[in-house]
Amino acid sequence: MPPLLNVSEILKNSSPQLPPSLKILILDQIDSTNSEAQRLISEKKMPPPLVIFAESQTQGRGRLDRKWESPAYQNLYLSLVIELPSQNLLAQNTLICGIALLESLLPLVPQGLQLKWPNDVLLNKKKVAGILSELVLNIGQPAKLIIGVGINVNAGPKDFSETLSNKATSLKIEFSKDFNRAEIAGRFLASFFSAFEEYFQTGFAPFREKWEGYAKPWGTRVSVEEAELRYEGTYLGLNKEGYLRVQTATGENLVIAGDVNWGI
Ligand code: BTN
């Protein structure tokens, strides 16, 4: 049995310091940490900031209603809950979280990491982590953001279904060794809170540039699937809201909620 996650190990690896009011829950099994966060918010049991980890999920959710494969004790599955300032664009939060996640992994994985719009962290061109942002709005209360993060840490090739195995990877698969999940969790939490503190102060502009630096270069050919629409074009970076700019034969399109394949 691999070492279980525990709060003191996570905190030992969180520098700079986390918000003193942050509550950290570690559950053995849950349907989805994002769903559990929604329940805790609606029952007003735990005010933000809050982070919920689970050792396994029975109904881990990905973007666009996809399943997030969540084998027990191998990977990291967590949801953060924070309050948002009144002027905020949901899409930007996912991009900021992606930057924080990639930067927290860089000291352990100096090469091969890349961001893919809107919510993927790739390692050697395969998906190693994903982000699912959900907004909770209640009249008269500040908006709350639930930001779910799945990081494939120590899953082996057999832990992925056949459909995923050529698209997804883990740190262990790429480096043939086990990684310390608490270290990764601690580093990520520290990076997340410092990125969001800066984002709430400075706005999105510096992060837009950073994000572009961690993604494929401008000019990359992409194919886009947005609802019923499918088209190809040339990637032109992000616009100032954080949407993806794609030049097509008929003009520039903004991708707001689609799926993008790079390097076609
Ligand atoms: C994606 O890439 O489509 C997003 C994946 C997000 C997965 C995480 S695992 C923890 C949290 N709980 C969930 O049910 N989903 C997110």
Side-chain angles (χ1 to χ4, degrees), residues 166-196:
N166 57 353
K167 292 193 222 148
T169 193
S170 70
L171 297 179
K172 180 173 178 165
I173 292 173
E174 297 301 311
F175 294 98
S176 309
K177 60 168 191 173
D178 281 309
F179 283 76
N180 177 345
R181 291 182 304 150
E183 179 185 357
I184 293 171
R187 284 178 182 275
F188 167 62
L189 290 181
S191 172
F192 176 92
F193 283 102
S194 78
F196 271 81

Side-chain angles (χ1 to χ4, degrees), residues 63 66 68 94-95 98-99 101-102 113-123 126-131 167 211 214 259-262:
R63 210 170 62 98
R66 292 180 186 132
W68 186 259
T94 306
L95 303 176
I99 295 170
L101 183 49
L102 181 143
L113 289 170
Q114 196 171 59
L115 293 177
K116 177 174 169 287
W117 194 90
N119 67 328
D120 294 355
V121 180
L122 307 181
L123 175 55
K126 290 184 170 184
K127 183 156 170 167
V128 72
I131 299 163
K167 292 193 222 148
W211 193 93
Y214 290 135
D259 246 357
V260 178
N261 290 307
W262 306 81

Side-chain angles (χ1 to χ4, degrees), residues 31-35 57 59-64 66 68 70 76-79 119-120 127 129-132 148-150:
D31 50 354
S32 147
T33 53
N34 270 38
S35 306
Q57 299 183 117
Q59 290 172 57
R61 297 189 275 118
R63 210 170 62 98
L64 308 173
R66 292 180 186 132
W68 186 259
S70 311
L76 285 168
Y77 318 110
L78 63 135
S79 296
N119 67 328
D120 294 355
K127 183 156 170 167
I131 299 163
L132 177 68
V149 178

